[in-house]
Amino acid sequence: MSIVRFLRSGNRFRMKAPLLAILALASFASPASVLAEDRFLTLSNTPLGSREEPLVLRTFLPDPGLGRAVLSNHALGARARKYAPGKGDVEGFVDPTPGLPAAIAVNFGTDLSYCWDTVECRLLYAWRGGFLDMTNYWGDPAIGRRAGFQYLPGLVGELVYVTEGSHPLGLFDTYTEDLKPVYLGYRLVAGVPEFAYRLGEATVKVRIEPGDKPLEIVAHYSVEGAKAWGYFESGYDFKQEDAGEGSFRVRIQGKPVAASAAAEASYSTEAPNAEWGEALFTTLGCFACHSRDGTRGHGPSLAGIYGTSRPLAGTDPVVADEAYLAESIVNPAAKVVDTFPAGYMPPYPIEPKQVDSLVLFIKSLAKP
């Protein structure tokens, strides 16, 4: 049985992370490219496609704080008892992983990456500059070790679009909010996935790709089984263009998410400052693992952390001063907080001014 057929057969299996990486990437490549040795990207935890040959990966993805208005059809997770192999349920509880379990990630090189959700059947967010860091999920190629739990990949680059509110596509001959979308699958059109879903009696197909302008996102829609429809994008400039025969396209002008959100604060990048640190906290995806309100996530909450004693795994506690915070950003494996897995957070080789700004921002966070 071929790799692709095995994946599609629905068989459940367990395997080591490197083999999982081979299958995950091979399953989305064309038959010709599967045979080409240079298409096996499994030794790189930061795979990258291109405009000519997009990379499509079905995986868990971080949730950049989308909220229930966007994720209205997602089930709410609940705490579960901790489990240990050979022991069964043990003392304590585990919170749900704060990620998107039904996502498809698509990458066009450094120009554009995006997250499509198969539950909400919509574009959730997009970023530029890279794709995904799969170390938490696939493991370190040198030692084969991955994160012990909640192993979401990290976003590489800068968020340029995050959706909000209800679905942007509305069908005028029915009340769209009463309908739950049903995902049908996708096909590749010139290498670009075209997603299909059903909304009531209508069938919607959408293909998303980078536009010609910087940060532009173009969504090509076709609608069958509906009399009239409209599109509205909240928070972003967009233009809807008729494409004939039940089809239209939408040009969405993306923008740096943190920069736009922090524009009112008018932070400067000339010298380290907390406002710049808050913007970096968003663009670097820190929020996916570290909460600001005391909630436990993949990593420790940053609320009121400055100046406190931090219990470390295998060594004496340390005070969370500026030096400790800076070291934890650029070399997170140096001191691992007790009860959290080692090797989960990747190092962030960012500029010293950016590190200092993040430290100032973390210092500003009060206890919950």
Side-chain angles (χ1 to χ4, degrees), residues 206-230:
V206 57
R207 187 177 76 256
I208 302 167
E209 58 189 355
D212 297 328
K213 299 178 181 178
L215 307 188
E216 185 181 53
I217 305 167
V218 180
H220 304 268
Y221 278 90
S222 67
V223 182
E224 298 178 0
K227 297 178 182 179
W229 53 84

Side-chain angles (χ1 to χ4, degrees), residues 119-130:
V119 175
E120 304 300 335
C121 293
R122 65 188 292 188
L123 173 66
L124 295 187
Y125 59 86
W127 67 102
R128 67 171 179 180

Side-chain angles (χ1 to χ4, degrees), residues 88-333:
D89 290 340
V90 296
E91 184 179 356
F93 294 87
V94 177
D95 290 323
T97 300
L100 301 167
I104 297 179
V106 183
N107 170 254
F108 296 85
T110 58
D111 290 339
L112 179 70
S113 299
Y114 68 80
C115 167
W116 168 271
D117 186 71
T118 61
V119 175
E120 304 300 335
C121 293
R122 65 188 292 188
L123 173 66
L124 295 187
Y125 59 86
W127 67 102
R128 67 171 179 180
F131 187 33
L132 297 171
D133 184 344
M134 301 297 296
T135 303
N136 291 335
Y137 194 14
W138 291 348
D140 186 334
I143 61 177
R145 182 177 182 180
R146 70 176 183 181
F149 65 98
Q150 296 187 341
Y151 36 86
L152 292 174
L155 304 182
V156 179
E158 175 186 39
L159 285 167
V160 297
Y161 169 87
V162 177
T163 192
E164 59 183 63
S166 58
H167 201 294
L169 179 64
L171 305 182
F172 294 155
D173 49 337
T174 187
Y175 190 56
T176 308
E177 297 304 311
D178 288 340
L179 303 177
K180 182 177 181 179
V182 178
Y183 179 63
L184 301 177
Y186 77 88
R187 64 170 184 162
L188 295 180
V189 179
V192 180
E194 180 183 72
F195 303 102
Y197 63 95
R198 190 167 58 249
L199 196 60
E201 299 298 321
T203 298
V204 181
K205 298 178 182 179
V206 57
R207 187 177 76 256
I208 302 167
E209 58 189 355
D212 297 328
K213 299 178 181 178
L215 307 188
E216 185 181 53
I217 305 167
V218 180
H220 304 268
Y221 278 90
S222 67
V223 182
E224 298 178 0
K227 297 178 182 179
W229 53 84
Y231 186 97
F232 179 78
E233 193 69 55
S234 178
Y236 294 86
D237 293 333
F238 71 97
K239 181 180 180 181
Q240 181 177 331
E241 302 171 342
D242 181 40
E245 297 183 0
S247 300
F248 66 95
R249 59 180 164 265
V250 178
R251 299 183 182 275
I252 307 168
Q253 184 56 53
K255 54 188 176 183
V257 171
S260 60
E264 295 180 2
S266 302
Y267 70 86
S268 169
T269 58
E270 294 297 322
N273 60 86
E275 290 77 15
W276 187 12
E278 183 174 12
L280 291 167
F281 185 80
T282 300
T283 58
L284 294 175
C286 308
F287 54 79
C289 297
H290 302 282
S291 76
R292 296 192 281 180
D293 61 3
T295 304
R296 181 185 173 100
H298 302 350
S301 175
L302 301 181
I305 189 177
Y306 180 70
T308 64
S309 177
R310 308 301 295 159
L312 302 182
T315 187
D316 296 332
V318 65
V319 175
D321 56 14
E322 292 181 351
Y324 166 81
L325 295 176
E327 181 185 45
S328 297
I329 294 169
V330 299
N331 185 18

